[in-house]
Amino acid sequence: MASNNLIDGRAIAKQLLAELCARIAALKARGVHPGLAFVRVGDDPASKVYVGRKEQACHDLGIQSETKVLPENTTEDQLLKLLQELNGDSRLHGILVQAPLPVHIRQSMVYSSLRPEKDVDGFHPVNVGKLMLGDPSGFVPCTPAGIRELLARSNIKTEGAEVVVLGRGNIVGKPMAAMLCQKQPHANATVTLCHSGTRDIAAHCQRADILIAAMGVPRFVTANMIKPGAVVIDGGVNRISDQATKSGTRLVGDVDFDSVQPIAGKITPNPGGVGPMTIAMLMHNTIRAAEMTLG
């Protein structure tokens, strides 16, 4: 399989993390040791894996981290009480509450309870509002921020480009569309946001210079939906059955990679594309949160 059109998310994430090392050293020289808290509710297997990878990234960079694991039956009030304690802990510059949360806990209440300056996931209403206003002082969600970095560091021109974003979720789709239509460098695109209510999604995809898939539908994007030479970014994470694996399942993206790669100008693999960038941007946001405490 040809790989000369692959966007290597692991390599770009490694580059970004290496750049953070000098900033971390500068913080420590001034007596600030960056700290990040993870909060996980329940025993979702995927959440355990994701938090584990983020903990490892903290360890590798020399960021202090601590993980609070609460039982599935934790009440919303109990979780909010813990978050208030973390808000007041000066050792911690960032707080990440791992999704998904149990159905009886409202995500909106959880995100709005964090101090905006510790919301390194970018979901507090203040940070969401700053993103919409083009105010760079807020934090932006890590996955769309990572995708923007992938595009910028791969020398993919977004200015004036036709960008189609598949999916209107609050974690990727909506913030991605908001970021790329800003009048800023590495943005300034013409953005179409498609979703389950869109008529003839394929027609929109076929005119995209850059297609970003974040629908949560396995292998939704097929070869007939791609304009030759288009840039394809796969932000999907879907678990499907596969009896050939030990677990009986495996992860696939929203893009049918094997059929789309020969047509695309550039394409992210999955895994190895967007995922590593999400973690790298979380580390970036945490370092920035620590730097903000210095005034």
Side-chain angles (χ1 to χ4, degrees), residues 119-253:
D119 169 41
V120 289
D121 238 358
F123 297 140
H124 189 283
V126 167
N127 287 321
V128 174
K130 286 183 174 183
L131 169 58
M132 293 303 297
L133 293 169
D135 181 345
S137 67
F139 291 108
V140 296
C142 299
T143 298
I147 291 171
R148 183 174 61 182
E149 282 291 317
L150 280 179
L151 295 171
R153 292 174 184 246
S154 300
N155 298 313
I156 294 165
K157 186 172 182 281
T158 58
E159 291 82 357
E162 289 275 355
V163 177
V164 172
V165 178
L166 300 180
R168 56 183 164 185
N170 292 329
I171 294 175
V172 184
K174 284 182 191 173
M176 188 81 259
M179 289 168 71
L180 289 179
C181 72
Q182 301 287 346
K183 194 173 183 179
Q184 294 174 352
H186 309 303
N188 212 28
T190 300
V191 181
T192 301
L193 183 63
C194 295
H195 47 77
S196 58
T198 301
R199 292 195 301 260
D200 198 356
I201 285 182
H204 290 286
C205 294
Q206 287 160 0
R207 61 181 172 76
D209 302 311
I210 302 170
L211 179 68
I212 301 170
M215 299 182 78
V217 181
R219 298 175 178 148
F220 178 85
V221 178
T222 51
N224 64 312
M225 298 168 70
I226 302 299
K227 179 170 75 172
V231 174
V232 181
I233 307 292
D234 188 354
V237 181
N238 311 286
R239 190 169 293 278
I240 64 169
S241 296
D242 185 349
Q243 298 309 311
T245 65
K246 185 177 179 181
S247 65
T249 64
R250 67 186 174 97
L251 293 176
V252 298

Side-chain angles (χ1 to χ4, degrees), residues 9-68:
R10 290 192 178 101
I12 295 172
K14 186 176 180 181
Q15 179 187 60
L16 197 153
L17 292 171
E19 293 167 7
L20 293 178
C21 291
R23 292 168 65 179
I24 294 169
L27 282 166
K28 291 180 179 179
R30 297 183 64 178
V32 177
H33 198 137
L36 176 58
F38 301 105
V39 179
R40 183 164 57 79
V41 184
D43 290 312
D44 178 71
S47 291
K48 288 182 181 179
V49 172
Y50 296 148
V51 171
R53 289 174 183 166
K54 294 165 186 174
E55 290 172 327
Q56 185 62 50
C58 287
H59 178 268
D60 293 344
L61 286 174
I63 296 173
Q64 295 182 115
S65 73
E66 56 183 66
T67 302
K68 306 288 187 182

Side-chain angles (χ1 to χ4, degrees), residues 8-14 17 53 146 269 271-282:
D8 189 342
R10 290 192 178 101
I12 295 172
K14 186 176 180 181
L17 292 171
R53 289 174 183 166
V274 172
M277 292 299 297
T278 298
I279 295 175
M281 293 311 299
L282 173 64

